[in-house]
């Protein structure tokens, strides 16, 4: 083989190798980011607004993201607010970061994060850090769009001040990180239910979904952490409406158990835990072993057989 032919072959091999490397390095997927909410256990709250200044995935910010103010209470029961899209390297990601603007909302008005009570008053929410680092797992496929849902659980993230019933604050930084979860939407399922009776005669019922085996009543009703959050280990929660209906959305596939708590409302609109319900879902349905597969919707018909007061 002459030198000219050898050189030509080497150039061809180099070109193929370079093309292969460029293709591998440029393998991209798109992540669409949505946000939803689980309810707050305070009847005096009419709105809970957070202003998101930046969303980061794997340390990358969503390109062209515009600061957005969201009333989280408008996005419950499976409803979501779309934050934006980001092209990232295809692969696995285990953390997203929400950067909050606590000072100003998207319109430039103060404050940026706040609770609004039924009388129209705004109460600024202040956190020790403006970053919420959320752990989870998503798999971004090449040339495909992966939808990520961030569940901002108000019940775990906002507490009433101990000094005045009409003042509110974010929980501690570590608790706030745990109050938000994110899931890959196509790997989740929904659970809805209909409760036919309420022996507690409470002012509000809340349904809680737990990963199977993680519910301990004595621990959950006492409250955990610096903010004494009750039912802190619940994956998600939903208010049971006046007709006994509720919906739990964006639950990752797996085995769950369901529990319902009853609350009484004081004169200031604050809800106080009164106890829990003992439930039955009919023959063959075990409420401490509910299997959910991706894309499924599990519907339950429930009867409360007893009220267990605190």
């Amino acid at each position: 083989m002459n030198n000219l032919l050898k050189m030509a072959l080497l150039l061809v091999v180099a070109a193929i190798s370079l093309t292969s490397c460029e293709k591998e390095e440029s393998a991209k997927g798109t992540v669409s980011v949505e946000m939803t909410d689980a309810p707050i256990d305070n009847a005096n709250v009419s709105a809970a607004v957070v202003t998101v200044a930046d969303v980061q995935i794997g340390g990358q910010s969503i390109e062209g993201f515009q600061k957005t103010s969201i009333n989280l209470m408008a996005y419950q029961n499976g409803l979501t607010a779309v934050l934006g899209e980001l092209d990232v390297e295809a692969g696995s990601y285990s953390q997203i970061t929400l950067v909050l603007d606590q000072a100003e909302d998207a319109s430039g008005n103060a404050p940026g994060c706040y609770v609004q009570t039924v009388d129209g008053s705004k109460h600024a929410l202040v956190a020790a850090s403006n970053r919420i680092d959320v752990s989870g797992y998503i798999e971004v496929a090449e040339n495909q769009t992966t939808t990520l849902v961030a569940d901002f659980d108000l019940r775990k993230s906002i507490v009433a001040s101990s000094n005045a019933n009409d003042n509110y604050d974010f929980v501690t930084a570590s608790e706030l990180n745990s109050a938000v979860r994110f899931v890959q939407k196509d790997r989740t399922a929904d659970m809805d239910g209909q409760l036919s009776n309420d022996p507690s005669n409470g002012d509000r019922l809340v349904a809680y979904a737990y990963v199977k085996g993680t519910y301990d009543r004595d621990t959950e009703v006492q409250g955990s952490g610096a903010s004494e959050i009750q039912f802190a280990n619940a994956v998600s929660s939903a208010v049971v409406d006046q007709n006994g209906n509720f919906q739990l959305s964006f639950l990752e596939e797996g085995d769950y158990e369901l529990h319902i708590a009853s609350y009484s409302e004081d004169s200031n609109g604050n809800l106080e835990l009164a106890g829990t319900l003992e439930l039955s879902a009919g023959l063959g349905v075990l409420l401490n072993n509910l299997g959910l597969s991706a894309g499924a919707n599990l519907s339950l018909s429930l009867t409360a057989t007893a009220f267990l007061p605190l």
Side-chain angles (χ1 to χ4, degrees), residues 217-229:
R217 183 179 187 272
D218 291 340
T219 300
E220 296 300 285
V221 301
Q222 288 299 319
S224 303
S227 302
E228 298 183 347
I229 300 168

Side-chain angles (χ1 to χ4, degrees), residues 15 53 68 102 124 126 130-131 134 191 197 205 215 225 273 294 298 310:
T68 304
Q102 302 178 59
V126 179
N130 70 333
R131 293 172 59 92
V134 189
M191 183 191 306
N197 63 322
L205 297 177
Y215 177 78
L273 180 63
L298 176 63
L310 294 185

Side-chain angles (χ1 to χ4, degrees), residues 222-272:
Q222 288 299 319
S224 303
S227 302
E228 298 183 347
I229 300 168
Q230 294 172 319
F231 302 98
N233 291 311
V235 175
S236 187
S237 60
V239 173
V240 181
D241 69 20
Q242 294 181 344
N243 296 317
N245 300 307
F246 63 88
Q247 179 177 327
L248 294 155
S249 301
F250 308 118
L251 298 172
E252 292 185 284
E253 57 184 344
D255 296 327
Y256 290 83
E257 50 186 282
L258 179 71
H259 301 275
I260 294 181
S262 177
Y263 294 82
S264 59
E265 184 178 328
D266 66 19
S267 58
N268 294 311
N270 296 317
L271 294 170
E272 297 180 355

Side-chain angles (χ1 to χ4, degrees), residues 202-219:
D203 294 310
R204 179 175 293 187
L205 297 177
V206 179
Y208 296 99
Y210 281 79
V211 172
K212 179 184 175 182
T214 62
Y215 177 78
D216 178 84
R217 183 179 187 272
D218 291 340
T219 300

Side-chain angles (χ1 to χ4, degrees), residues 62-74:
I62 291 181
E63 186 176 353
F65 179 77
Q66 299 292 319
K67 185 165 70 171
T68 304
S69 296
I70 301 171
N71 175 15
L72 291 167
M73 294 183 69

Side-chain angles (χ1 to χ4, degrees), residues 103-112 122:
E104 294 184 347
D105 65 16
S107 300
N109 300 315
K122 291 183 179 180

Side-chain angles (χ1 to χ4, degrees), residues 108-119:
N109 300 315
C113 299
Y114 61 88
V115 159
Q116 182 169 312
T117 46
V118 292
D119 62 0

